[in-house]
Amino acid sequence: MSSGRPRVVIVGAGFGGLAAARSLRHAAVDVLVVDKHNYHLFQPLLYQVASALLDPSEIAYPVRAALRRTGNADFRLARVDAVAVEARTVHTDAGDISYDYLVVAAGSVNNFFGVGSVEERAHGLKALEEALSLRNHLLQAAERAAWAEDESERQRLLTVVLVGAGPTGVELSGAISELVHLVLRKDFPRLDLSRMRIVLLEAGDDVLPAFAPRLRRAALRTLQSKGVEVRLHAAVSAANDEGVVLSSGEEIPTSTIVWTAGVRGAPLAASLGVPLNRQGRVAVTDTLQLPQHPEVFVIGDLAELHQDGAPLPMLAAVAMQQGHHVATTIAGSLSGVQPRPFRYRDKGIMATIGRNSAVAQIGPLRFTGFVGWVMWLGIHLILLVGFRSKVIALFNWAWDYFFYDRPVRLIARPERLEATDASHTPHPPER
Amino acid sequence: MSSGRPRVVIVGAGFGGLAAARSLRHAAVDVLVVDKHNYHLFQPLLYQVASALLDPSEIAYPVRAALRRTGNADFRLARVDAVAVEARTVHTDAGDISYDYLVVAAGSVNNFFGVGSVEERAHGLKALEEALSLRNHLLQAAERAAWAEDESERQRLLTVVLVGAGPTGVELSGAISELVHLVLRKDFPRLDLSRMRIVLLEAGDDVLPAFAPRLRRAALRTLQSKGVEVRLHAAVSAANDEGVVLSSGEEIPTSTIVWTAGVRGAPLAASLGVPLNRQGRVAVTDTLQLPQHPEVFVIGDLAELHQDGAPLPMLAAVAMQQGHHVATTIAGSLSGVQPRPFRYRDKGIMATIGRNSAVAQIGPLRFTGFVGWVMWLGIHLILLVGFRSKVIALFNWAWDYFFYDRPVRLIARPERLEATDASHTPHPPER
């Protein structure tokens, strides 16, 4: 990598970072993508791993494979801890890396709004590891419920509480409902699964607030038809070993709390030396740069940019368009071209609520029910990275659709955890 | 389960335990299968998960799904810690379970022959968790090697040492060779993978000692053609932070030690109150019963039974036939039929060494090379539990075969480990 060409370091191999790296493939620069995982994650389908429909490898794709045709890009497996903007260096757990241009695409993390008792007990759904943990937890709760002798303990094990009725909360509660009614019912013939409660709590007025009112109503009806208890104006104030406590004082006994109520910018942003908004996002220029450091770009969930009076949403489509935009800006700057402001072209939003039902709004168009679901299926398959993922995901969906089965319901975990640091001391096995 | 019918408790959902449970489906008994995992594992293909070819769900199948058509069988997720033969009770981490008949099919565990320094550092390959750990470790070693600045450290990261040239060691070393040469070479274009060393150590005279001499020679040639360094008469005496130490005093620097040199009976056997042989196996009667407790059966890897002057091998086929046999014995005993001695019908043995090559001996027949590989492929696909597994495994194999790609190379692990005990206290997340 000592070619003498400018080095572009991209922090994060999500939608934004990968788009930037790929769009730089013809530029006279060396690109280095740094991520703490060796895979790109198709986050919109994480809930399908959590609900045991998809295998991890169907929604995750090795970064190196994704960059194979990008001849000027390399990958480094490392966790970036801080950026030293004056020294043009990023500090990682595998050493320092210097840059000429930096693209910070570090994404977002769960935001528990300071409620520590919830943070300690809730499952998030931002990372593959969290989805696998939730899958293991849900299946284990059913195993325990099958043999619980105490009536109230069994009910507690059969209660799942999801906090936050945005797309993730809505999609996951629909998927868990189907896991229970279509699959677990067959696996646990002696367990009364009509006692299963799936409670979706939303502090605001409605589910899916970003969607049009007609679509919200359709989503609510579909959730209710699947047995999901939707509770609006219900805010969680705390959690304890018995369950969750609402701000009204009401307690809901549960062994499973899933947090989908909010995210904030990745903590890395704090080291950039610029003010952050309340969600920990970085206020960037309309060219996606830091005001004092035009060689530093921030894109995706971590960037706060207003367009038409509102902040851009945290969506894969926004991150990808921004990644492409900064690549164009960097390539242009090599020949003295001035940066142009970024403008998001809205591709629409959609959410699925189990088999056969989704809501989608694309420009002036609105889709619900089966038509929405077919739209959703097609668009996600097209977006999934890699042909193989598409084929296997399609096969799993088709299987699920025709046989009412969920293929992946293993409680599995590696015996030995390995750090991603550069230490070469083998860890002792856990026995 | 309080039907008044005799209760058969089966410890272990491996090949033996599942065969016993299924063969009891028409008997007037209640069957309870107990296992610490909620899945049956197709152990012969574990090495394919370790070498990143297959996903866990392709070789593991939920026990409850496997027992769906066995109406008189139930499942309990629990770790069996001891058997109290006088009290006819098994002690588990989820409480005590009493039995009228007991089938102990607890299998085997890694045997490090008391060499603690190896046990602390080596990867075993008996459990799904171990295969996932090894996969993560191999991929991480390549990532570290790609950026190692010290020459000898890079070589250490690029050296894999496998101990024991039985079927698992032979199959895994062949698979790792192909992972390196067919896949990692594309992912790491800047890393000199010709420096990669795969060393297969065998203390005895030859690879695959259970096979005919002609097949051993064929296997050895194939391994060598794939770049595997096979070292015979090489015993490991210790391991340290730099690598392994042979009994000759020679040291081989390596960051990856894989132990496939031996197994012993599961520790549970110690509680049965009978003498164990050096491998921790239980000497059973020729009817697979304990001499003093005919209501207790021991089958599979844990049972030691001689036939034609030699102990029966630890093979899935032996365990399955024994599971069927004890089911017949138990069903017969309900109507006073005397137990009959067990006799193993040899189905042959086979081992594959990467793409297109395997050795197989079936009765008087011997197969090598591509013909052996096709036999191996067909037989394993037929044996894989569940139609879906077959289809996906076939798809992955076909993909690998035509595109020289390994689909599953994610370094993934659940963020939060959960115990399988019956405690209902949520564990704090590891952050």
Side-chain angles (χ1 to χ4, degrees), chain A residues 55 57 64 68 75 120 122 129 133 137 143-144 147 187-188 388 396 407 413 416 418 421 423 429, chain B residues 38 55 57 64 68 75 120 122 129 137 143-144 147 187-188 388 407 413 416 418 421 423 429:
Chain A
D55 259 324
S57 69
R64 290 184 181 276
R68 259 187 206 165
F75 171 69
E120 281 167 25
E129 290 88 345
S133 291
H137 181 90
E143 292 287 349
R144 289 175 190 172
W147 295 94
D187 279 355
F188 294 85
R388 178 178 171 277
N396 275 0
R413 56 194 159 257
R416 168 196 305 220
E418 303 222 14
D421 67 5
S423 149
Chain B
N38 76 333
D55 257 325
S57 69
R64 289 184 180 277
R68 259 189 206 164
F75 171 69
E120 280 167 25
E129 290 88 346
H137 181 89
E143 293 287 349
R144 289 176 190 171
W147 295 93
D187 279 356
F188 293 86
R388 177 181 171 277
R413 53 193 161 256
R416 171 197 303 222
E418 303 224 12
D421 67 6
S423 149

Side-chain angles (χ1 to χ4, degrees), chain B residues 179-263:
Chain B
L179 173 71
V180 171
H181 295 294
L182 302 180
V183 181
L184 296 188
R185 182 161 288 177
K186 287 192 231 169
D187 279 356
F188 293 86
R190 293 172 188 82
L191 183 62
D192 179 10
L193 284 167
S194 68
R195 302 270 310 265
M196 185 91 195
R197 289 181 69 194
I198 302 166
V199 185
L200 179 60
L201 303 176
E202 168 58 45
D205 293 334
D206 208 346
V207 301
L208 297 178
F211 287 69
R214 181 164 85 80
L215 298 186
R216 288 185 229 160
R217 285 193 300 275
L220 183 60
R221 274 196 308 273
T222 307
L223 285 170
Q224 286 166 340
S225 75
K226 289 181 183 299
V228 176
E229 301 172 36
V230 181
R231 303 269 303 265
L232 302 175
H233 307 292
V236 169
S237 62
N240 56 43
D241 288 348
E242 292 307 308
V244 293
V245 184
L246 306 190
S247 51
S248 66
E250 184 189 352
E251 299 196 14
I252 303 177
T254 178
S255 68
T256 309
I257 308 168
V258 186
W259 185 262
T260 60
V263 295

